[in-house]
Structure formats: C-alpha cells, structure tokens
Amino acid sequence: MHYEVLREELRAYYLQQHESIALDCKKRCWDELDRRVADKSLSAMEHKEIQYDGIPEFVAPQIFRNSFFYYETGTIPITAMNWSTGAWTYTRNKKAYDNVNPRIAEEKEHCINVPVYMICGQYTDEMNHFAFDMKEILQNGIAPLYQRAVNAANTADCEEKASFYHSMATGLRALGRISESFSNRATQLLQIENDPIQRNNLLWIAETAKRVPWEAPQTFREALNTIALLQNAIPTLEGGSLESMGRLDVLLYPFFQQDLAHGIATEEEMYSDLCDFLVLWDSRWEDQWKQMDNEVNDPGYTYTLGGCDQQGKPVYNRVTMLFLKANHETKVLYPKIKCRFDSKSPEEYLRLINTDISQGRTTIIYQNDETFIPALVHCGIKVEDARDYWILGCWEPVIPKATNEHCGYISLLKILELSVYGDFNRLGMQLQLETLNGEMNYEEVYQCLLRNIRSVLLSRRKVAMAGRPYWHQVDPHPIYSSVLDDCFSKGLDLTNQGPHYHIDELICSGFANVVDSLLAIKHICFDTKTLSLSEFLRVVKSNWAEDAGIRHKVLAGSFFGDESVESSAVACRFHEDLSRLIEQLPRNENEMVNLGYMLYTEMAKWALTMRATPDGRHDGDAFARGLTPSYLHHIKSVASVFSAMDCIDTRLCAANSVINITVPFRNQPLSFWDSLIRAIAASKVQALQINCVTKEELLEAQKHPEQYEHIVVRVCGFSAKFVSLSAKTQAEYLERNFFDY
C-alpha cells in the first residue's frame, strides 16, 4: 500500500519541520511587506494587492519523495492556521474596527466574556469558514479569470472598482506563480535525483506545474492536484481558512469518465491517487493534533459527497464510491466527509457510508436533503442553488453564490441561567436582562425568557451590522470574489455586499435544556404547586443542595424526547417563537438571518462556567448539543429521539441543526442500517452524527487503550480516536445517552 509509505514521510515532515518553515516564511514575508508599504497611506485593497504580489517570493514549495502531488506551500502554521502569510493585510488594517460604535464594541466584549454568545472573528467571521467554488478553475483554468479581471480593471468606471479588479488579477496571477515555483523546485531536484520512481514524479511535477492550474487540468490526476494546490495556495495568499473542498464527486467525475474513455488511467490507478490525496490532509494534522489541545483545535478540512444536482437528479457515481472506499481503507480522520442523502439514495451508496460506522468508526456526517433543501428554499434561496449546497467546517452550509458568515453561537441556556440568577451587574454585563421573580405565572416566566433572548439576539445583530461596513476596509478578499459572478459584475468584494446571497447565521445551543427547564417550572410551580416559583428558584440556585428531592421530581417529569404531548407542545412553541424573534431582527437589504442548532468545542468551557439550571443540571454539568435531548434523562430508544423531532419545523433551520446519537448496533447487518437511514430521511432530522459503540467498550478502552485504537467517535463536529481524547472529554462522552433501537 503506497499511501502508507507516503503517510510516514508526511508525518515526519509535519511533525518535525513544517512549523518552523511556515513561521520563518511568515516572518520574512511580513518584514518585506512592511518594508514595501513603509510611510505610505494605502487602502486595504491596495494592501491586499501588495500582499498578493509579495507572498509568492517567500513560498517554500515542499515536494515529497513518495508523491506526485504539488500542494504544500510551507506557509501555513498548523498551530495558527488563520494567521499565515495571508493574514498580513488583516493585521495591518484591523484598527479600522476602532471606528465601530464604542458602546456596541464594549457590549460585545461583555457578552462574549460572560458568555451569552460567541463570534468567530472581531465583528463577523473574518478569518474562518471560507469556501471557494473550484468548478470554474477545474473547467477553464485560472487564465480566463485573470484576463477577465485585467479587462475589467482597464474599463472600470471608478477608481474603487479598478482597484478591486487590479487586486483580483494580481491575486490570480500569484496563484499561477505559486504553481510555477513547484515546477522550478522539481527541476532543481531532478539534478540530484537518481531513483527512477522519484524522477518520474519530479518530471511530472516539473512539466505539469508550469501549466496547471493556470491552464485547465486535462486528467483526473491533474484535477485532483489542482484541488490540493488551491486548498493550500488560496489561504496562503488570502488569509483565513479554506474549510471545504466542495462536492468532490461532482467536480471530479467528468475527469474520471474522460480518463477511462481515452485510456489515460485505469480506475485502479485513479483510486490509488485518491488514497494518496486523502492521506495528504490526514498526515498534515494527525500528530500535531495529538500535541495540542484537541478539544479546541481542528483543521476543518471537509468535502461533500452525494445528494442531487441542480436539476434534482441523484448524485452517486464511481468517484463517490471510490472516495468512500478510500476513506475506509486508509482509515483517515481528515478530511471530514459530509454525505448528503435522501429516501431514494442508492442502496450501494448507503451501504458504503454505513460500513465504517457500523464497525465503530465514525468520520461521516449524514446530511438529509429531504429536510435541508426545503429549509434553504424557505429562507429565500432558489431551489437550483439550494440543491447545490455543500457543508464546510463542522456543519455549516455553503451556497456557492453566497457569503457564509458563521458568526458564532448563542447560548440559550446561559440566557436562562442569567434570568434565574439575575446577577448581570456582578458579571459586568452592559446588556440588561430581566430577572425571573416569584410573582410571575408560567406565561410571564416564558415571556420574560423570550424578551431576554431577544435582547441578546439584538445585541449580536447590532454587533454584526455595526462591524460589517468596515470589513472591506480591514481585509477584502478578491481571490474568493473572483468565482462569485455577482461580485465580479458589481465590482464589489464579498466583504462589501458583492455576492448574490448574503447570509448570517445565529447558531443556538442548549435548546433541550431550556425546554426541559420550562417544563420543570410549569410542573413544580404551577401544575402540582409543589413549590412556589421563589422557593423553586432558591433550590436551583443552591445547586440543588437545599432540597435534592425536588431535583428527583424534576428529572422524573416530562422532558424533550419523551414523546409526550406536553413536551412536544413546549418544544414546538419555543422553536417557533425563537424563529419568529430571528425573523424580526434588523437586517440589511437582501440579507438572510438564519437559525441553526449546534455547538462545537465551546461546549466544554461553556458547561464548566454554567451554574445549576431548572432542568436538573448541577453547576458545571454538560448540556445538550444541537437538537439532541438532554443527557440528564435516559431515553432507551433512538426512535424516541427521531419522534421528538416531529414537533420541530426544520424548514426554519436554514443554518442547519444537528442530532447526536450513540447506538450499540455493531452486529446488525448493513440492510438494517439501510432501513434506519431511510427512516431518518423521512423524519425531521437535518444533520445526524451517529456513533456505533457501547459504553462498556469505551470503559474497557480507558483501561486498555492499546486494544481500542480502532474506535473512532464523533465528538462535536470532529472525529477522534476515543483513546486519544483527554480524560475530561472521555468523561463527558460517557455521560451521553447510549440508545437502543
């Protein structure tokens, strides 16, 4: 297996050499760029053009002895992926954000510190979750895009547009220069290489890198390398993180067909190339990840398979199959796979997806087209565009014609906690919320909570709307904009209202805990009148120490996921009211503000600082992820989890919603899994993370980790070997529900 030899070579490089090479490259590059702009007053767009022009001189092209791929620029530190050479413009111009309303800026800092919300950037998602549609370059190469930008710069009707197009052209030319640097490096190495296999690889790189991707790739191998190169070269020049390669089976299938038809490569040869391709990304990260805090860091590399095309026809082809087969054989954790499916998905496709998961190895997210495409259409996206979505990062949807501003998370449960404890001033919050008081009836409690949620959502929106007008003055992105037709036709960068769709996402966490808390207040204080509201809240604030028996009554009561009429009614009402609050938020013209339910690695630190809540949580207890029921209740049947979703109108979740389940179905035949996934397609579930393992196995893995290296679990947007997780993350995972069928 050739990829194992390549894996060892890559691991040695990334573990021992890459970081120092990338950091040295960044320092030398930034020193030179600083020298070029000394004593000059320039716009951010002019800074970006200088950045594009300068960076290729400092790229350190790495060519590996056991690979034909040319992709590693030696410029992106793994310990600081968002702060590579391409972050220079952002660093120089972030002072432009000082012009944002000081009161809003201060309120933002207080809300983040508490935290009631989090933003993946200063005011918007300036450095993360970027996507680049590679279709245009794969079909036509960079050269036509470059020439289009040059022509537009020469005929622009104003200086600002001319600067935008000039910068775009310089950036696109820089991509070609980076590719040429690999050709030059391969030519140098040919002078000292005698091994015939290595010389073959070097000859291929020396010839191919001179023309591809400046010219369109002609073969499957050239197309695959183009994707690898762009995945590294674009962030090298542009900054931030490029977190999805797109729909690889859609992009690569025409090259696969052509190579077979013309005898250029066999299916076996293309499969071997795919295995090597996957190992590139897994080896880049795996050992580094072990040395870092793996509850926080995750490269976000993803690709999407399956689904349907823009006409609604199913996408499942030989490339889809080969990717799934290669993922199984190579045992990679990265790139992360997002598999789109529906009730009509081919049986072979579902079996290939299900094979690894049924064996206790979870690296795939199931994304349900039957619920998610209608959600995208419901929020205003054309159906043909909605059908072409893919997933980046953890769960965030990408529409190729849109900016995708995954701006962070809203902690619904923290808002409830603050409503209970009422100590906003002690926490230094400028945002004033209302406190629940003993004189309220249930409806008043509910409305008070909604008003507090609205205040937080408004704060978060004010922050985004206040900062966004300055984004293009901080760090414009002409390369990303080059494949967005609306950006090009308007002469406006994606950071400056250029794209066809402008999407903001409000991602909420703690949904099940809030619903359970409302049910507990209703049951204890108003239905049974066991305690008054004041008495009950006092027990909660004592961390349940004042009356542990009340906590037992709370946990014995109704909860989200028990399939009762009462819990369904509360969950449905809360979800629809939350959606209504978001619909009523201020927004710019043509802007969409979409609701989602999920949470990433923030789950650990947010839970640790969260005090006891009315649902029965103690101080520091974990809370529910996405739309998964709370861990405080034992739900025996996984069918109950899916039934609980029946009350949720997921058309209102255009930012995606996630369910996490762990099931002991290891010995079930694949036909069982096929039936399960088709049943899920007919449910309200959007994104599903399935782990197939028992608690007993994981407890044994803690005792004998060397025997359980094969168990890979989906933690919260990333997958990891269970035995590689920290003790605290293993403990949190073991607290989760383990379901039967």
Side-chain angles (χ1 to χ4, degrees), residues 362-412:
T362 301
T363 60
I364 292 172
I365 275 191
Y366 295 79
Q367 185 71 35
N368 186 0
D369 278 2
E370 293 197 15
T371 55
F372 195 61
I373 291 174
L376 294 173
V377 173
H378 183 75
C379 80
I381 293 169
K382 292 180 181 178
V383 65
E384 59 269 26
D385 294 333
R387 288 171 177 156
D388 198 29
Y389 81 91
W390 69 80
I391 303 292
L392 58 74
C394 306
W395 310 278
E396 302 82 21
V398 173
I399 305 301
K401 295 181 180 179
T403 56
N404 191 72
E405 295 188 34
H406 173 74
C407 292
Y409 300 106
I410 308 290
S411 179
L412 299 175

Side-chain angles (χ1 to χ4, degrees), residues 656-702:
N656 216 354
S657 61
V658 182
I659 293 286
N660 304 282
I661 60 171
T662 302
V663 291
F665 298 161
R666 187 77 62 83
N667 297 319
Q668 295 290 344
L670 286 173
S671 58
F672 166 85
W673 285 91
D674 181 278
S675 299
L676 175 64
I677 299 306
R678 292 189 193 281
I680 292 168
S683 74
K684 297 288 189 71
V685 172
Q686 290 185 322
L688 179 66
Q689 300 184 143
I690 303 179
N691 291 294
C692 186
V693 67
T694 66
K695 181 175 283 191
E696 291 71 26
E697 284 178 296
L698 298 184
L699 291 171
E700 283 299 307
Q702 289 183 315

Side-chain angles (χ1 to χ4, degrees), residues 427-445:
L427 294 170
M429 284 187 66
Q430 288 191 351
L431 185 64
Q432 293 301 302
L433 305 180
E434 300 177 42
T435 306
L436 301 182
N437 68 72
E439 304 304 314
M440 292 179 171
N441 59 34
Y442 173 76
E443 185 60 25
E444 289 168 335
V445 168

Side-chain angles (χ1 to χ4, degrees), residues 73-302:
T73 57
T75 57
I76 303 175
I78 294 176
T79 53
M81 292 178 66
N82 297 341
W83 297 98
S84 66
T85 51
W88 178 77
T89 295
Y90 179 88
T91 304
R92 285 197 67 88
N93 294 294
K94 62 182 179 180
K95 61 182 180 296
Y97 278 139
D98 294 341
N99 296 320
V100 175
N101 184 309
R103 187 189 64 78
I104 290 178
E106 190 173 357
E107 181 180 290
K108 176 201 73 168
E109 293 303 321
H110 286 305
C111 287
I112 289 173
N113 289 336
V114 168
V116 290
Y117 58 69
M118 185 203 80
I119 300 174
C120 294
Q122 189 77 351
Y123 287 93
T124 187
D125 199 349
E126 304 108 341
M127 300 295 287
N128 296 280
H129 301 99
F130 286 106
F132 184 87
D133 191 353
M134 301 185 191
K135 185 188 308 178
E136 180 76 19
I137 291 176
L138 289 171
Q139 290 177 350
N140 302 308
I142 296 171
L145 290 174
Y146 167 77
Q147 193 57 55
R148 184 176 73 158
V150 170
N151 294 342
N154 293 334
T155 58
D157 57 14
C158 69
E159 187 175 330
E160 184 178 357
K161 288 184 180 180
S163 179
F164 168 64
Y165 293 127
H166 271 302
S167 183
M168 181 185 293
T170 303
L172 292 168
R173 185 68 195 95
L175 286 173
R177 290 169 60 199
I178 288 175
S179 182
E180 290 162 9
S181 72
F182 284 95
S183 176
N184 296 335
R185 178 61 178 153
T187 301
Q188 292 172 357
L189 292 173
L190 278 167
Q191 307 306 310
I192 57 174
E193 182 59 70
N194 295 316
D195 182 279
I197 296 177
Q198 315 302 337
R199 286 187 61 81
N200 241 15
N201 286 339
L202 290 172
L203 284 167
W204 189 86
I205 295 171
E207 188 280 323
T208 308
K210 281 190 297 188
R211 59 178 178 81
V212 178
W214 188 250
E215 299 174 11
Q218 298 301 307
T219 67
F220 184 86
R221 176 176 283 191
E222 290 179 2
L224 198 59
N225 191 93
T226 296
I227 292 167
L229 179 63
L230 294 177
Q231 188 70 21
N232 264 5
I234 291 175
T236 291
L237 293 167
E238 194 77 286
S241 57
L242 186 56
E243 297 197 354
S244 178
M245 303 176 195
R247 304 182 66 185
L248 292 188
D249 50 355
V250 173
L251 294 174
L252 289 168
Y253 188 55
F255 297 95
F256 175 86
Q257 288 179 300
Q258 176 183 283
D259 279 14
L260 282 182
H262 293 89
I264 296 170
T266 65
E267 182 170 313
E268 291 73 23
E269 289 170 331
M270 288 185 272
Y271 174 71
S272 177
D273 289 350
L274 277 185
C275 289
D276 286 0
F277 175 81
L278 295 181
V279 166
L280 300 181
W281 311 105
D282 195 58
S283 303
R284 177 188 178 90
W285 190 253
E286 182 181 2
D287 289 310
Q288 290 280 359
W289 190 68
K290 290 176 182 176
Q291 297 184 40
M292 298 158 65
D293 180 358
N294 58 24
E295 277 85 59
V296 175
N297 295 284
D298 169 28
Y301 300 136
T302 70

Side-chain angles (χ1 to χ4, degrees), residues 396-691:
E396 302 82 21
V398 173
I399 305 301
K401 295 181 180 179
T403 56
N404 191 72
E405 295 188 34
H406 173 74
C407 292
Y409 300 106
I410 308 290
S411 179
L412 299 175
L413 189 58
K414 188 67 178 183
I415 300 169
L416 174 62
E417 179 220 284
L418 293 172
S419 304
V420 169
Y421 290 82
D423 51 355
F424 324 115
N425 294 329
R426 181 182 68 79
L427 294 170
M429 284 187 66
Q430 288 191 351
L431 185 64
Q432 293 301 302
L433 305 180
E434 300 177 42
T435 306
L436 301 182
N437 68 72
E439 304 304 314
M440 292 179 171
N441 59 34
Y442 173 76
E443 185 60 25
E444 289 168 335
V445 168
Y446 182 81
Q447 294 299 331
C448 176
L449 175 61
L450 285 185
R451 288 192 296 273
N452 286 343
I453 291 172
R454 180 179 182 275
S455 294
V456 171
L457 294 174
L458 273 171
S459 171
R460 168 52 188 74
R461 281 298 296 155
K462 284 190 296 183
V463 166
M465 294 182 73
R468 191 170 288 119
Y470 297 93
W471 188 8
H472 70 286
Q473 299 175 25
V474 174
D475 191 25
H477 294 307
I479 293 179
Y480 286 131
S481 302
S482 67
V483 293
L484 297 172
D485 288 342
D486 285 70
C487 287
F488 192 89
S489 63
K490 296 174 188 175
L492 293 174
D493 192 75
L494 74 84
T495 64
N496 193 23
Q497 304 295 317
H500 185 75
Y501 301 112
H502 188 84
I503 300 173
D504 191 3
E505 296 176 341
L506 296 177
I507 310 299
C508 296
S509 63
F511 176 85
N513 299 97
V514 172
V515 170
D516 292 355
S517 292
L518 290 168
L519 288 164
I521 290 171
K522 184 174 182 294
H523 176 68
I524 298 294
C525 305
F526 301 106
D527 293 344
T528 65
K529 301 188 187 314
T530 304
L531 293 177
S532 69
L533 180 59
S534 294
E535 291 168 334
F536 179 58
L537 295 180
R538 188 173 67 245
V539 172
V540 173
K541 287 187 275 189
S542 75
N543 198 23
W544 304 98
E546 192 171 302
D547 192 339
I550 290 297
R551 181 173 182 271
H552 293 311
K553 290 183 179 180
V554 166
L555 295 179
S558 186
F559 59 89
F560 179 64
D562 67 359
E563 300 184 82
S564 70
V565 172
E566 184 178 27
S567 67
S568 296
V570 172
C572 175
R573 182 187 183 192
F574 181 60
H575 167 66
E576 292 184 358
D577 284 342
L578 180 59
S579 175
R580 197 170 296 113
L581 289 177
I582 289 174
E583 287 176 6
Q584 295 168 356
L585 291 171
R587 62 196 68 199
N588 296 315
E589 186 179 359
N590 298 324
E591 184 179 23
M592 302 172 188
V593 183
N594 295 337
L595 169 65
Y597 296 105
M598 58 189 86
L599 187 61
Y600 183 46
T601 54
E602 291 76 14
M603 65 179 191
K605 64 181 180 181
W606 281 17
L608 287 175
T609 61
M610 192 88 67
R611 293 167 290 189
T613 43
D615 59 326
R617 283 184 59 263
H618 283 111
D619 293 351
D621 278 355
F623 55 94
R625 279 59 161 170
L627 288 176
T628 311
S630 168
Y631 307 158
L632 294 173
H633 302 279
H634 176 65
I635 304 175
K636 187 174 182 181
S637 168
V638 71
S640 298
V641 178
F642 302 140
S643 295
M645 290 291 296
D646 288 344
C647 66
I648 304 296
D649 184 355
T650 48
R651 291 178 308 149
L652 306 178
C653 298
N656 216 354
S657 61
V658 182
I659 293 286
N660 304 282
I661 60 171
T662 302
V663 291
F665 298 161
R666 187 77 62 83
N667 297 319
Q668 295 290 344
L670 286 173
S671 58
F672 166 85
W673 285 91
D674 181 278
S675 299
L676 175 64
I677 299 306
R678 292 189 193 281
I680 292 168
S683 74
K684 297 288 189 71
V685 172
Q686 290 185 322
L688 179 66
Q689 300 184 143
I690 303 179
N691 291 294

